[in-house]
Amino acid sequence: MASGITTPGAKHYIGAVVNYILVVDDEPAIRNLVKEILEDEGYEVGVAEDGAEARRLRRCRRPDLILLDVWMPDVDGVTLLREWSEGGGLPCPVIVMSGHATVETAVEATRLGAYDFIEKPLSLAKLLLTVERALDAERLLRENAGLKRRSPSMLEPIGKSAVMHGLRDQVKRIARHESPVLITGEPGSGKQTFARFIHACGPRRDGPFVEVGVGSLSRERALTDLFGRERDGVIEYGLLEQANGGTLFIDELADLDLRTQVQLLAALESHSFSRVGSDGTLRLDVRVIAATLSALPAEVAAGRFREDLYYHLNVVPLVIPALREHPEDLPELLDFYVDQFVNHEGLPYRRLALAAQNRLRHYHWPGNIRELKNLVQRLLILATGEEIGPVEVESAIGARVRQPRRPPLPANISFELPLREARERFERAYLEHQLQEAGGSIGRLAVQVGMERTHLYRKLRALGIDPKKVAYGE
């Protein structure tokens, strides 16, 4: 069927981990030949002779791609596709193979999310090309999703100052190794940018970069979101499993609840974990980068953060300086964000006068680079001329500079209101102020206001408060 076909000996790695392909076919000759050819190409291959074995292997390890036959003795491939697509789509590209399928079968497989449909007898050259394109498409989808979440962003930290030169050199040295990194810095200073830069400079650069925003995890869902879940035959792949072969970035680390800290430490130490609701053990192969606003030793001393997890993650500490510590980088950062908003959001181009730039260099930037980005956007929207002068800059930043630390009660709270409405308005104003005082940290907020985090999350959602937008004045 495929003899005489020569294939290139290219190796297909995600960082230090080989792409894993699951081949499901009831014909031993086809199954073994496809396995042999794919392994020659550098892939790691698992094989299943029927649907039951396919289910078992998929539970044991998340595939990067599945080659699925339609006709099998116990269950047909379309039924498996339908089963796997429950709960939000297929977890990886699926290429369907069949020698006797109808047009209706091909249409149904495509509707259920199959990447492509290949007829038997197989052309191995076409099969390999389809596999490579499917994996490339999945990688691009993952990268594009990341870009949309964080908007167009800098590929590496910007700045020509001695501070930034030294920091980039330090990061490049750190990136060559697999040790955990703990990044600390003020809100908006660029911790996520440096985490991505470490990933991009390291051996896992072609693997996934998966971000865990601890502040957005509810206590009820934290374990499921991180470790995944199995229930009634449906598998949810958690963030740990999605990060295999790449980097796991844990943002707002100090906000992680103690129960999840215990589970995470066990997984990192043993390089294995179990999905919620499963007794099976899965291999974990990730590089961990964590970031925090808080001084974790103080959190450890207060009993809010486990000492053993702190030492496990704090192998290589990386401190990101505040923007006020390298103001000479301001012109380059301003140019970058002006170009970004003009090119990606269609805002009108306006140049900043030298006097305006000089005023910004002497501003203290409590919100750091995030505040600078928001300020540039505001100036481009509100300014009227081609040049932005110091008066417009002063107007944009003056309100924040003069803002009192303890604002008066909101004007919309009145004795004429019903008690429930008055209480809700006060609670919203109170929590927004406390969030600003806590620098956006839910953990600090919980301590300040004396509420358990689960109840606090519910309260914030009920009041329509977005912690990050409130913390940084967005």
Side-chain angles (χ1 to χ4, degrees):
M1 170 173 63
S3 59
I5 295 178
T6 58
T7 58
K11 300 295 181 184
H12 300 269
Y13 294 95
I14 295 182
V17 179
V18 183
N19 277 353
Y20 172 59
I21 298 176
L22 176 59
V23 179
V24 186
D25 198 301
D26 66 331
E27 299 181 56
I30 294 178
R31 195 167 63 240
N32 294 331
L33 179 60
V34 171
K35 179 177 186 292
E36 180 182 336
I37 294 298
L38 290 173
E39 287 178 341
D40 285 345
E41 285 292 299
Y43 298 107
E44 186 176 350
V45 183
V47 293
E49 63 183 3
D50 54 28
E53 181 68 1
R55 290 187 181 108
R56 188 188 70 80
L57 290 177
R58 183 172 166 268
R59 286 182 65 245
C60 293
R61 181 175 177 186
R62 179 176 180 265
D64 296 304
L65 182 142
I66 299 174
L67 290 169
L68 178 63
D69 190 18
V70 171
W71 302 114
M72 290 177 291
D74 58 345
V75 63
D76 64 89
V78 173
T79 298
L80 280 179
L81 260 182
R82 189 177 293 110
E83 178 183 306
W84 293 343
S85 64
E86 291 178 2
L90 296 169
C92 68
V94 177
I95 299 171
V96 175
M97 310 177 294
S98 179
H100 309 287
T102 62
V103 173
E104 288 78 9
T105 301
V107 169
E108 179 65 6
T110 304
R111 186 187 70 79
L112 290 170
Y115 175 79
D116 207 345
F117 192 96
I118 298 179
E119 290 186 286
K120 294 180 179 178
L122 297 175
S123 161
L124 293 186
K126 180 179 180 180
L127 177 66
L128 289 174
L129 181 61
T130 306
V131 165
E132 188 169 346
R133 286 177 174 172
L135 289 169
D136 285 344
E138 181 71 7
R139 177 180 54 80
L140 288 173
L141 279 174
R142 191 169 59 227
E143 290 176 356
N144 288 338
L147 286 171
K148 287 178 182 177
R149 280 194 300 270
R150 57 193 170 98
S151 180
S153 185
M154 58 186 75
L155 295 177
E156 67 174 64
I158 288 174
K160 298 177 180 177
S161 65
V163 169
M164 292 303 293
H165 271 300
L167 200 54
R168 282 195 298 269
D169 288 343
Q170 182 184 3
V171 165
K172 289 174 183 177
R173 291 193 301 273
I174 291 171
R176 292 196 293 264
H177 307 284
E178 293 284 289
S179 301
V181 180
L182 182 60
I183 304 176
T184 56
E186 292 184 5
S189 56
K191 294 185 289 297
Q192 187 199 68
T193 298
F194 276 95
R196 288 186 176 275
F197 190 46
I198 293 171
H199 173 74
C201 294
R204 296 173 180 260
R205 65 179 66 87
D206 294 324
F209 179 92
V210 175
E211 180 178 353
V212 180
V214 175
S216 65
L217 297 178
S218 68
R219 183 164 183 173
E220 297 89 343
R221 286 283 307 180
L223 288 177
T224 299
D225 289 342
L226 281 173
F227 296 95
R229 179 171 61 180
E230 290 184 31
R231 185 173 61 181
D232 300 328
V234 177
I235 300 174
E236 292 181 40
Y237 294 111
L239 296 170
L240 284 176
E241 202 163 353
Q242 294 174 36
N244 257 336
T247 300
L248 182 73
F249 173 52
I250 307 173
D251 198 12
E252 304 173 54
L253 176 66
D255 292 343
L256 202 63
D257 68 87
L258 287 169
R259 180 184 63 158
T260 308
Q261 289 177 35
V262 172
Q263 300 276 14
L264 178 62
L265 177 63
L268 296 179
E269 288 184 334
S270 65
H271 302 286
S272 64
F273 66 97
S274 297
R275 302 187 192 104
V276 176
S278 169
D279 55 4
T281 301
L282 304 169
R283 180 173 60 92
L284 179 63
D285 179 22
V286 296
R287 197 229 177 116
V288 179
I289 303 174
T292 180
L293 305 172
S294 305
L296 279 184
E299 296 292 301
V300 171
R304 292 187 291 267
F305 198 87
R306 290 185 63 91
E307 185 177 30
D308 44 8
L309 180 58
Y310 168 67
Y311 285 119
H312 184 92
L313 295 175
N314 192 33
V315 176
V316 181
L318 181 67
V319 180
I320 308 303
L323 180 55
R324 60 184 171 275
E325 296 177 34
H326 53 111
E328 58 269 42
D329 292 324
L330 197 71
E332 192 175 358
L333 285 165
L334 288 170
D335 288 344
F336 174 82
Y337 284 118
V338 168
D339 289 343
Q340 183 185 101
F341 286 119
V342 170
N343 294 328
H344 294 282
E345 297 193 15
L347 293 181
Y349 174 79
R350 309 184 197 281
R351 64 180 179 272
L352 276 92
L354 191 60
Q357 293 189 39
N358 188 55
R359 172 65 184 94
L360 292 176
R361 286 190 65 169
H362 290 86
Y363 179 53
H364 61 290
W365 297 110
N368 292 291
I369 294 175
R370 184 185 285 112
E371 183 184 4
L372 181 145
K373 177 183 176 181
N374 294 339
L375 180 68
V376 169
Q377 184 179 28
R378 188 157 60 247
L379 288 170
L380 293 179
I381 291 172
L382 298 179
T384 55
E386 293 183 358
E387 185 175 82
I388 298 171
V391 174
E392 290 167 300
V393 166
E394 193 66 45
S395 176
I397 66 175
R400 173 154 192 171
V401 172
R402 292 188 297 272
Q403 182 180 355
R405 184 169 180 82
R406 295 200 177 276
L409 285 175
N412 64 350
I413 296 179
S414 165
F415 287 112
E416 307 303 319
L417 291 172
L419 176 61
R420 180 174 179 178
E421 187 176 350
R423 183 174 63 240
E424 286 183 357
R425 291 187 183 186
F426 174 77
E427 285 178 342
R428 184 179 294 109
Y430 171 77
L431 289 173
E432 286 177 348
H433 171 69
Q434 293 292 346
L435 260 174
Q436 290 177 338
E437 294 292 298
S441 168
I442 299 297
R444 290 184 187 176
L445 178 64
V447 174
Q448 286 174 197
V449 303
M451 287 182 70
E452 199 274 334
R453 288 189 195 184
T454 301
H455 300 314
L456 182 57
Y457 278 118
R458 291 198 189 105
K459 176 64 71 175
L460 293 175
R461 282 197 297 268
L463 295 173
I465 296 175
D466 185 326
K468 290 188 176 181
K469 287 184 179 180
V470 171
Y472 308 126
E474 297 179 14

